[in-house]
Amino acid sequence: MKVIYTYTDEAPALATHSFLPVIEAFAGKTGVDVETRDISLAARILAHFPDRLTEAQRVPDSLAELGELAKTRAANIIKLPNISASIPQLKAVIKELQDAGYAVPDYPEDPSTDADRAARAAYDAVKGSAVNPVLREGNSDRRAPASVKKFARSHPHSMGKWSPESASHVSTMSDGDFRHSETSVTVAEATELRIEHAAADGTVTVLKASLPVLAGEIVDAAVLRKNALDSFLAEQVADAKAKGVLYSVHLKATMMKVSDPIIFGHAVKGYFADVFAEYGADLASVGADPNDGLASVLTALAKLPAAKREAIEAAITAAYSSGPALAMVDSGRGITNLHVPSDVIIDASMPAAIRSSGQMWNADNQQQDTKFVIPDSSYAPLYAETVDFCREHGAFDPTTMGTTPNVGLMAQKAEEYGSHDKTFEIAAAGTVRVVDTASGATLLSHDVDAGDIWRACQTKDAPIRNWVELAVSRARATGAPAVFWLDETRGHDAQVLKKVRAQLAELDTDGLTLEILAVAEATRYTLARAKAGEDTISVTGNVLRDYLTDLFPIMELGTSAKMLSIVPLMNGGGLFETGAGGSAPKHVQQLVKENHLRWDSLGEFLALAVSLEFLAESDDNPGAAVLGKALDEATGKLLENGQSPSRKVGELDNRGSHFYLALYWAQALAAQTDDAELAKVFAPLAERLAADEDKIIGELNGVQGHPVELGGYYYVDKSKTDRIMRPSATLNSAIAEF
């Protein structure tokens, strides 16, 4: 078994240039092979177009390779955060690659030729959550390691004070959304389904010709109705104006890469309703797509005649004046909540606001009470209840609050995040139905209108069984209550609950506290226990897994990057994820400007330690176990000594943190008594790094304060980046000569 360390994007990828040589050097002394696989957004694009590249430019499809590996017992994959690309990000990386001499095609907005359609299909396979569904052949076990939780309690991060008079609140749809239209069925026998649209005149259009399903698989269908959405958004704009709060929209336009960009486009048009009513045809004529955000619309204005452009710009300014104040992503640059869909990812933006007194930033760079608009009500109660709880009880105290680990149902594309290839914006009124191809029977159907968003989802039986077993196992191991966040009144959840109850009946649950609660009730239960310092295991589906493992860690630890994320793969391998990368773009910007990278690699340290332990057990390699145990000790010492990266230029950054990790790791290995030979091997390195500490830190901090050039943003020049991320000749020599 090898350790496969993924190379991804932005700040995590930059950190890899610094940390990977340390991993390779240390692991090599115990016979552990470490290999990398490039699954960055740029590499994923290049892998789809080998026929358009020179031989030297071609790259392997590493994601597909790892997807197959994840189905085997040999899998031991460390997966760093990667970009889940929105359309604007996808277009940006395409341009960067083209400018660098890679002849990849433009993104076809309206493909009309076979070549365009093939290119569009390739790009659609790359955008959004393309990586996680491929690798996640197991369910998720995410928790705060004891050492990290202890550190957070003794060194608490800042939490904004909540006012009982706060006007901040969550607004969500009460009808016409996915939650209220969902229907669900469990398929008895393996078969093949198709999805089709029957127009009023009887014309049938096949939307998806083949949808294989297994025995016991759950299939859902739901529709978000355009007219209901537009009415809801118009009401929220008016209400925010009347209440004097900021207006903000929160979606998942990367993971939900078909539905949520469309919803975001409706939000843009809803806020600028007068602009699109008067100038919609002009904007469409130059390709201004509100689904890509206001920034895309503003860019497209340059293609219009000056008089028309100025008229539209004036109308946009008037809309700002007449509408509610918009929440800002970057007040200094005038970037609003509606500029770019990937800037307002709900699982990052909502916890940040809740941590900051339930407020967001206005155009004057001041915090202000906010209306959080979350159109689909499926999971909005999580945030609504949390906002209400904090208003009543005040901010959480990191020094006393309990922890909320998560067992998440995500294996084999479970639930909504696997719906992309089964989500459609409806072209004409009619009926969408899911049909059993063999029998001709209609399993699910919805009447639809033009512009509605219809989607189907699948959840296989085996992942659900594995999920329940994992939840019971974690409840047994910790003694904490385990709460299944399931709602009997929701179509999908009702089907899942039948399987959960059947599986629980087969397991030993004596002495365990197992609850089944809908989202709002589960949120209140968990928040109350956390406030009282009590731990609660959340057992959730795929989307709530994503939301909860940002919300609670951000309140508990200050960041979700400090969570330990273990994915026991269903066929015996292991996938070890390293936290969230939502803040990674800002880290890259600071590096380029000041040569200071504040990315915290704690998630990588935690994942590597459990990866080594997993390998030790799988391969009967005691040296790997010693290595992993020593890494845990080193990580704890790094935290206690306050040697995580600073935000300020001239102080310790990611590279300096890596040095101290290497120093403490070597010292722990030299001091351990489980393997005397290994101690002897690492003693000279420990002594050398300790002796050169001041010199190395001087070299690492001394390069800061000046701009650097990476040779790209999405596809960096790796030689240049190596030099930037490894600026200490003294440290480089010590590692290379070890």
Side-chain angles (χ1 to χ4, degrees):
M1 177 180 283
K2 301 173 181 177
V3 173
I4 305 296
Y5 200 90
T6 58
Y7 184 90
T8 56
D9 305 283
E10 297 177 319
L14 299 180
T16 297
H17 285 264
S18 169
F19 187 41
L20 187 60
V22 175
I23 299 173
E24 292 171 332
F26 280 54
K29 299 303 181 183
T30 60
V32 174
D33 291 329
V34 179
E35 295 183 356
T36 59
R37 295 292 187 276
D38 188 345
I39 58 170
S40 65
L41 176 57
R44 299 194 321 261
I45 289 174
L46 294 176
H48 277 76
F49 298 102
D51 56 321
R52 300 180 67 105
L53 306 176
T54 67
E55 186 173 348
Q57 291 176 329
R58 291 173 189 155
V59 301
D61 191 344
S62 294
L63 179 59
E65 177 197 343
L66 292 185
E68 291 304 310
L69 179 64
K71 298 174 184 177
T72 73
R73 296 185 63 84
N76 184 4
I77 304 166
I78 297 178
K79 189 260 173 185
L80 278 69
N82 64 279
I83 292 174
S84 294
S86 63
I87 296 296
Q89 287 174 306
L90 192 60
K91 290 178 179 177
V93 69
I94 290 168
K95 184 178 187 307
E96 182 176 308
L97 289 170
Q98 290 172 339
D99 290 347
Y102 295 87
V104 295
D106 290 335
Y107 179 80
E109 294 283 1
D110 297 301
S112 57
T113 67
D114 287 345
D116 282 350
R117 283 187 283 272
R120 177 63 177 266
Y123 283 131
D124 285 349
V126 168
K127 73 183 181 185
S129 181
V131 172
N132 292 339
V134 173
L135 298 185
R136 287 173 171 169
E137 285 288 323
N139 291 308
S140 170
D141 173 8
R142 290 201 80 188
R143 55 188 188 266
S147 60
V148 174
K149 183 65 175 174
K150 179 181 177 183
F151 178 79
R153 282 179 164 159
S154 57
H155 301 82
H157 53 275
S158 61
M159 295 283 280
K161 185 178 180 180
W162 274 78
S163 166
E165 285 75 45
S166 170
S168 292
H169 62 280
V170 170
S171 297
T172 191
M173 297 175 73
S174 58
D175 197 13
D177 60 346
F178 291 125
R179 165 65 181 82
H180 290 88
S181 64
E182 184 178 73
T183 57
S184 185
V185 65
T186 298
V187 179
E189 302 293 338
T191 187
E192 184 178 82
L193 310 178
R194 71 174 180 272
I195 303 172
E196 59 187 29
H197 173 270
D201 64 2
T203 301
V204 175
T205 302
V206 175
L207 301 177
K208 190 170 183 66
S210 176
L211 190 65
V213 292
L214 301 176
E217 189 159 352
I218 296 171
V219 181
D220 313 319
V223 59
L224 191 149
R225 304 194 180 282
K226 171 184 177 294
N227 292 337
L229 174 63
D230 288 342
S231 295
F232 165 76
L233 291 169
E235 290 168 5
Q236 303 317 310
V237 169
D239 190 58
K241 178 72 173 181
K243 287 185 168 67
V245 295
L246 296 179
Y247 179 80
S248 66
V249 177
H250 302 265
L251 295 163
K252 189 75 170 178
T254 50
M255 299 286 272
M256 304 302 295
K257 61 186 179 183
V258 178
S259 60
D260 283 26
I262 298 171
I263 298 170
F264 189 79
H266 281 274
V268 173
K269 290 184 289 186
Y271 185 89
F272 297 99
D274 292 343
V275 176
F276 280 90
E278 185 170 355
Y279 300 106
D282 298 300
L283 292 169
S285 72
V286 292
D289 188 351
N291 292 8
D292 293 343
L294 178 61
S296 175
V297 173
L298 296 174
T299 299
L301 291 181
K303 302 175 185 177
L304 289 169
K308 183 69 69 174
R309 181 180 70 249
E310 290 168 3
I312 295 175
E313 288 172 344
I316 290 172
T317 300
Y320 279 133
S321 298
S322 62
L326 279 174
M328 305 298 289
V329 171
D330 188 331
S331 304
R333 296 193 297 143
I335 306 300
T336 75
N337 177 269
L338 296 177
H339 262 67
V340 183
S342 54
D343 277 349
V344 289
I345 303 305
I346 184 170
D347 49 322
S349 57
M350 282 302 304
I354 289 167
R355 181 182 165 185
S356 301
S357 309
Q359 299 177 325
M360 296 186 73
W361 299 92
N362 61 27
D364 296 325
N365 205 32
Q366 300 294 316
Q367 287 183 277
Q368 185 176 335
D369 289 348
T370 304
K371 174 187 282 289
F372 306 107
V373 178
I374 305 172
D376 180 38
S377 63
S378 296
Y379 306 114
L382 165 66
Y383 298 113
E385 293 291 340
T386 304
V387 168
D388 291 347
F389 187 92
C390 291
R391 181 189 299 109
E392 180 179 355
H393 300 284
F396 284 85
D397 182 353
T399 67
T400 59
M401 73 179 295
T403 189
T404 307
N406 178 264
V407 175
L409 174 61
M410 69 178 191
Q412 300 178 351
K413 304 181 182 180
E415 297 196 343
E416 290 90 338
Y417 284 170
S419 70
H420 320 306
D421 62 341
K422 300 175 287 293
T423 301
F424 308 95
E425 187 172 22
I426 302 303
T431 302
V432 176
R433 55 201 182 204
V434 179
V435 179
D436 186 322
T437 303
S439 68
T442 297
L443 303 186
L444 303 165
S445 69
H446 288 92
D447 292 334
V448 293
D449 288 321
D452 288 352
I453 307 168
W454 185 95
R455 76 177 184 208
C457 304
Q458 298 168 260
T459 312
K460 295 176 174 57
D461 182 69
I464 295 174
R465 290 179 177 276
N466 177 268
W467 173 61
V468 176
E469 291 173 359
L470 182 59
V472 170
S473 172
R474 293 304 303 155
R476 179 73 65 195
T478 63
V483 180
F484 287 84
W485 292 49
L486 294 169
D487 182 353
E488 194 89 64
T489 68
R490 179 180 170 184
H492 167 79
D493 286 11
Q495 296 296 317
V496 173
L497 269 170
K498 293 177 184 178
K499 295 179 180 291
V500 169
R501 288 175 174 137
Q503 184 72 1
L504 287 175
E506 297 178 7
L507 299 173
D508 176 13
T509 61
D510 287 350
L512 303 182
T513 300
L514 304 174
E515 304 283 354
I516 296 173
L517 300 172
V519 174
E521 290 76 16
T523 303
R524 289 195 294 270
Y525 177 90
T526 306
L527 291 172
R529 288 182 56 84
K531 189 78 173 179
E534 298 173 324
D535 302 342
T536 313
I537 300 170
S538 57
V539 188
T540 71
N542 205 2
V543 178
L544 275 172
R545 171 201 58 79
D546 213 2
Y547 292 2
L548 288 174
T549 56
D550 274 313
L551 175 61
F552 283 99
I554 285 172
M555 293 193 295
E556 289 179 34
L557 313 174
T559 173
S560 58
K562 294 181 179 180
M563 290 287 279
L564 179 60
S565 182
I566 301 170
V567 183
L569 298 174
M570 292 175 63
N571 288 331
L575 173 68
F576 307 95
E577 301 188 86
T578 68
S583 60
K586 293 182 179 179
H587 295 188
V588 180
Q589 293 164 13
Q590 184 178 12
L591 176 79
V592 170
K593 182 180 179 181
E594 301 178 328
N595 197 7
H596 180 94
L597 183 66
R598 68 178 188 265
W599 174 259
D600 191 341
S601 290
L602 179 62
E604 289 99 287
F605 305 158
L606 299 172
L608 178 60
V610 290
S611 168
L612 290 168
E613 292 167 6
F614 177 70
L615 182 146
E617 184 174 344
S618 299
D619 278 8
D620 191 22
N621 182 337
V626 172
L627 204 62
K629 183 179 178 182
L631 178 54
D632 264 339
E633 183 179 329
T635 301
K637 188 171 182 180
L638 182 88
L639 290 172
E640 284 302 321
N641 289 347
Q643 286 155 339
S644 298
S646 165
R647 300 174 66 89
K648 296 181 180 179
V649 67
E651 298 180 356
L652 201 74
D653 77 345
N654 177 265
R655 297 164 290 193
S657 185
H658 288 167
F659 160 69
Y660 279 112
L661 189 281
L663 170 62
Y664 299 150
W665 195 4
Q667 289 175 335
L669 286 163
Q672 54 81 30
T673 57
D674 293 327
D675 188 326
E677 286 300 315
L678 206 57
K680 190 181 299 183
V681 167
F682 277 91
L685 178 63
E687 292 171 5
R688 181 173 179 178
L689 294 179
D692 289 338
E693 176 184 352
D694 291 343
K695 184 177 182 182
I696 290 170
I697 292 300
E699 291 172 347
L700 293 174
N701 290 355
V703 299
Q704 298 182 35
H706 308 284
V708 293
E709 172 55 54
L710 296 169
Y713 180 89
Y714 295 98
Y715 204 55
V716 301
D717 182 313
K718 291 187 178 179
S719 295
K720 285 184 178 179
T721 307
D722 275 341
R723 291 192 292 272
I724 292 167
M725 292 305 301
R726 303 187 67 208
S728 170
T730 307
L731 176 58
N732 295 344
S733 296
I735 297 299
E737 295 167 10
F738 173 50

